[in-house]
Amino acid sequence: MAQYADPGAVEWVESGGGPLIVVPEAVLPFWAGADGEDMDTDYDRACEVDGYVGLLPVGDSAALVLGDEPASTAFLPDHGTFVRWSAANSEHELLAEVPAALDTAVWENEVRWNVPGPVVLFDSAWPGDEADRAEHLRVPLEPGRYAVRAAYAKPGPETWLGLVQLRRLTD
C-alpha cells in the first residue's frame, strides 16, 4: 500500500495497470480476477466498464468498478468518497482540494449499489481470495443501499482528481 505523507494518514491503493475494484467481503471468493478457464475473465469484464464507475455481478452481490484510469485511490470516510489521484504536486495539496472538488464537481448519473457490509478495494486482476496478498484497503461500510456518483474534477491549475462518492440511502 502506498503512503505519501505521514504513515497511517491516508492509505492509497495502486493498480498494475487495469481498473481497481471494490468488492463486498462477503463475496470476495467469487471474484476470480484475471484467473480462470473462461475466455472472458472477471478482470476482462472489469476492463469493459465504460465511464468512471460501473457495477458487476459477483456471487449474490455486486462489485463497484472504478473505471477510466488506474489512478492511485484512497477512501476518505469523512467525505464518503474514493479519491483518485490524477495530478497534484503533493498528497497534502491533493487532499486540501477535495472539499472544493466535491463542491464544484459535475457528477455523472448515479448508480444504486446494495452492499452487504464491509468492502475491499484492490486491483481487479487479483482473485478476491488473494486480495490480502496485494495492495488493498478494507472499507467498513454499513450494510444497505448506496447511491454512487462519480466525477472528474480540476479544483486547481495543478490538481486533477477523480471522485467516487457513496451516500447511504434510507429505505
Side-chain angles (χ1 to χ4, degrees):
M1 186 152 341
Q3 294 184 338
Y4 299 101
D6 297 330
V10 176
E11 297 175 349
W12 297 88
V13 174
E14 296 181 343
S15 158
L20 292 171
I21 192 158
V22 186
V23 179
E25 275 184 337
V27 295
L28 274 175
F30 297 103
W31 181 261
D35 293 348
E37 309 268 330
D38 296 334
M39 295 291 289
D40 195 22
T41 65
D42 286 342
Y43 173 75
D44 293 329
R45 292 188 311 135
C47 289
E48 291 173 3
V49 167
D50 191 28
Y52 298 132
V53 295
L55 296 174
L56 291 178
V58 179
D60 63 355
S61 190
L64 178 67
V65 178
L66 306 183
D68 190 43
E69 63 179 61
S72 293
T73 302
F75 185 74
L76 303 181
D78 291 348
H79 299 288
T81 301
F82 289 99
V83 175
R84 314 201 66 215
W85 186 332
S86 293
N89 291 319
S90 69
E91 179 186 59
H92 176 75
E93 179 181 293
L94 180 98
L95 295 175
E97 294 287 354
V98 168
L102 289 167
D103 287 342
T104 61
V106 177
W107 300 96
E108 290 189 338
N109 291 334
E110 290 184 343
V111 297
R112 301 298 165 108
W113 187 27
N114 291 320
V115 177
V119 296
V120 180
L121 167 70
F122 61 98
D123 186 330
S124 62
W126 279 88
D129 57 3
E130 295 181 22
D132 61 343
R133 294 184 20 201
E135 283 191 20
H136 69 284
L137 177 65
R138 182 178 187 270
V139 179
L141 294 182
E142 292 292 323
R145 291 185 26 201
Y146 288 81
V148 180
R149 63 182 186 168
Y152 189 78
K154 296 181 181 180
E158 302 290 324
T159 307
W160 306 341
L161 54 112
L163 303 165
V164 178
Q165 190 172 53
L166 310 177
R167 181 175 41 85
R168 188 145 187 247
L169 300 171
T170 57
D171 290 327

